[in-house]
Amino acid sequence: MPELRKDPITNRWVIISTERGKRPGDWLVGPKVRSGGFCPFCPGNEDKTPPEIVALRPNSSAPNTTGWSIRVVPNKFPALQIEGDLNPRGEGLYDLMNGVGAHEVIIETPNHLAELADLSLDHVQDILLTYRARILDLKNDTRFKYILVFKNRGTAAGASLEHSHSQLIATPIIPKRVQEELFGAHQHFELKERCIYCDILRQELHSGKRVVVARADYVAIEPFAPRFPFETWLLPTRHVSHFEATEPELYHGLAVTLQETLQRISSALDDPHYNFILHTFPLQEPASLEYHWHLEIIPKLTRVAGFEWGSGFYINPTPPEIAAQHLRDARL
Ligand SMILES: [Zn+2]
Ligand SMILES: [Zn+2]
Ligand SMILES: [Zn+2]
């Protein structure tokens, strides 16, 4: 019998429909084809990207030359532009404003063939600290209300370049998905005076059914009502609303947890394409007891189709308990 499950944060219902016949082993996505050809993110091609914003250069080489280990550049085809005023205005009943924002690319490694999951722990930690540094820098620009850090890995996840990279977009408004979480977390806090994510962590660690990785400092779980098969959330065990408020010494544990989670997903699902997104509290707000930053990892195994688009329901053929078991059993 299919099951309807409600996400306690957003109140979004999902349909867990195992009848649709997919078993974890059926997700094998098949061989990946590398497109090859010219890559603007490879060392030697620094002049093919806009000038770098910041880079980690272990040998103190000059900006926009080789010798970097992580490089942050403006997106050459930005969704939003950094210059200008918002100029919010109305057109009859319609609201609009100028497309002001920042759109940056974090080139995670000089090695064209390396994947995030395979980099050294120190390197993964440096990438996560780079996210933090960029958020702290962009926070000074009060036009920006939110920064979404995300990664599209593979064509199925929307990546146009195969060289491992992540991106961030700073926006002058708080995105709707985030607002839904903020609203749900606020409702829960009003009722219980507790953070809903802390409550979820407590319950999940107690039951263990949906836990993928459990460390003292970070935990990876399959949520109770996941939209997608093998959707995985990674959270700090200690309550903190802003990602960038995490002290630098806590990024090692985060790197360990992220790497192990990605490796388990890669091993269990034959190296799937995936997205991850970082959900954190709005940039210009003070620390909150209501909201808890987290990373959502979504392997691209299904397509969003008409029913999902039309209803906001998601049909997920893999129960999270089975996904969690499968990820825990994955050979590393
Ligand atoms: Zn490359
Ligand atoms: Zn919390
Ligand atoms: Zn979220």
Side-chain angles (χ1 to χ4, degrees), residues 9-10 177-178 181 197 227 233 277-280 291-292 294-296:
I9 303 158
T10 57
R177 282 253 190 279
V178 177
E181 288 186 359
Y197 294 91
R227 292 156 293 176
W233 296 358
I277 48 172
L278 177 63
H279 275 161
T280 176
Y291 191 78
H292 194 124
H294 56 277
L295 195 73
E296 299 182 11

Side-chain angles (χ1 to χ4, degrees), residues 116-153:
L116 180 58
D118 306 325
L119 298 174
S120 74
L121 266 182
D122 284 350
H123 199 129
V124 175
Q125 183 181 347
D126 283 340
I127 293 167
L128 295 165
L129 283 166
T130 302
Y131 297 163
R132 178 178 188 267
R134 291 311 304 140
I135 293 173
L136 287 172
D137 183 36
L138 287 162
K139 202 173 181 141
N140 295 320
D141 190 330
T142 51
R143 293 173 306 167
F144 302 148
K145 300 283 182 283
Y146 201 80
I147 294 180
L148 191 83
V149 175
F150 61 100
K151 179 175 170 73
N152 304 332
R153 194 251 147 168

Side-chain angles (χ1 to χ4, degrees), residues 39 41-42 112 163:
C39 173
F41 293 169
C42 271
H112 186 84
H163 193 128

Side-chain angles (χ1 to χ4, degrees), residues 194-199 201 235-241 288-293:
R194 295 191 309 265
C195 161
I196 190 164
Y197 294 91
C198 287
D199 277 1
L201 274 176
L235 307 92
T237 50
R238 195 177 61 97
H239 180 85
V240 48
S241 55
S288 163
L289 294 173
E290 299 180 2
Y291 191 78
H292 194 124
W293 76 260

Side-chain angles (χ1 to χ4, degrees), residues 20-30 32 228-230 268-272 299-303 315-319 323 326:
R20 290 164 68 89
K22 283 264 189 188
R23 301 181 53 77
D26 297 340
W27 288 121
L28 306 185
V29 212
K32 313 265 170 336
F228 306 103
F230 293 87
L269 299 166
D270 193 22
D271 194 22
K300 299 307 276 194
L301 305 169
T302 51
R303 277 168 207 259
I315 303 175
N316 179 352
T318 307
H326 210 59

Side-chain angles (χ1 to χ4, degrees), residues 13-282:
W13 288 90
V14 301
I15 302 172
I16 307 287
S17 173
T18 51
E19 324 277 293
R20 290 164 68 89
K22 283 264 189 188
R23 301 181 53 77
D26 297 340
W27 288 121
L28 306 185
V29 212
K32 313 265 170 336
V33 184
R34 291 236 165 226
S35 62
F38 176 78
C39 173
F41 293 169
C42 271
N45 298 337
E46 285 77 8
D47 61 339
K48 300 299 188 294
T49 64
E52 70 196 34
I53 297 164
V54 69
L56 253 69
R57 295 182 168 278
N59 309 319
S60 332
S61 47
N64 302 305
T65 65
T66 58
W68 49 275
S69 60
I70 297 168
R71 192 164 178 257
V72 182
V73 298
N75 193 305
K76 199 169 182 176
F77 308 101
L80 296 167
Q81 281 193 7
I82 193 92
E83 301 90 8
D85 296 326
L86 291 173
N87 187 24
R89 53 202 186 273
E91 210 176 86
L93 65 87
Y94 302 120
D95 292 328
L96 64 161
M97 62 175 87
N98 291 337
V100 172
H103 190 169
E104 302 181 357
V105 178
I106 299 100
I107 307 170
E108 295 161 356
T109 164
N111 181 348
H112 186 84
L113 296 174
E115 293 296 345
L116 180 58
D118 306 325
L119 298 174
S120 74
L121 266 182
D122 284 350
H123 199 129
V124 175
Q125 183 181 347
D126 283 340
I127 293 167
L128 295 165
L129 283 166
T130 302
Y131 297 163
R132 178 178 188 267
R134 291 311 304 140
I135 293 173
L136 287 172
D137 183 36
L138 287 162
K139 202 173 181 141
N140 295 320
D141 190 330
T142 51
R143 293 173 306 167
F144 302 148
K145 300 283 182 283
Y146 201 80
I147 294 180
L148 191 83
V149 175
F150 61 100
K151 179 175 170 73
N152 304 332
R153 194 251 147 168
T155 46
S160 48
L161 289 165
E162 64 187 11
H163 193 128
S164 192
H165 66 284
S166 32
Q167 304 182 55
L168 70 80
I169 295 188
T171 52
I173 48 166
I174 298 167
K176 183 170 161 56
R177 282 253 190 279
V178 177
Q179 279 185 358
E180 286 170 2
E181 288 186 359
L182 294 172
F183 180 76
H186 177 69
Q187 300 280 88
H188 185 88
F189 193 85
E190 290 278 280
L191 210 63
K192 310 199 174 180
E193 295 187 345
R194 295 191 309 265
C195 161
I196 190 164
Y197 294 91
C198 287
D199 277 1
I200 288 174
L201 274 176
R202 203 172 299 120
Q203 183 163 335
E204 291 301 337
L205 286 170
H206 181 73
S207 98
K209 282 191 288 196
R210 286 173 289 269
V211 173
V212 178
V213 180
R215 288 173 43 94
D217 47 2
Y218 293 91
V219 169
I221 57 164
E222 307 292 294
F224 172 74
R227 292 156 293 176
F228 306 103
F230 293 87
E231 173 176 348
T232 304
W233 296 358
L234 201 159
L235 307 92
T237 50
R238 195 177 61 97
H239 180 85
V240 48
S241 55
H242 290 88
F243 173 79
E244 68 274 19
T246 305
E247 297 86 356
E249 56 271 23
L250 291 175
Y251 280 73
H252 177 76
L254 177 57
V256 174
T257 315
L258 176 61
Q259 194 175 48
E260 180 178 337
T261 306
L262 290 176
Q263 284 174 351
R264 288 191 178 280
I265 288 172
S266 174
S267 165
L269 299 166
D270 193 22
D271 194 22
H273 295 179
Y274 65 83
N275 297 110
F276 72 54
I277 48 172
L278 177 63
H279 275 161
T280 176
F281 203 61

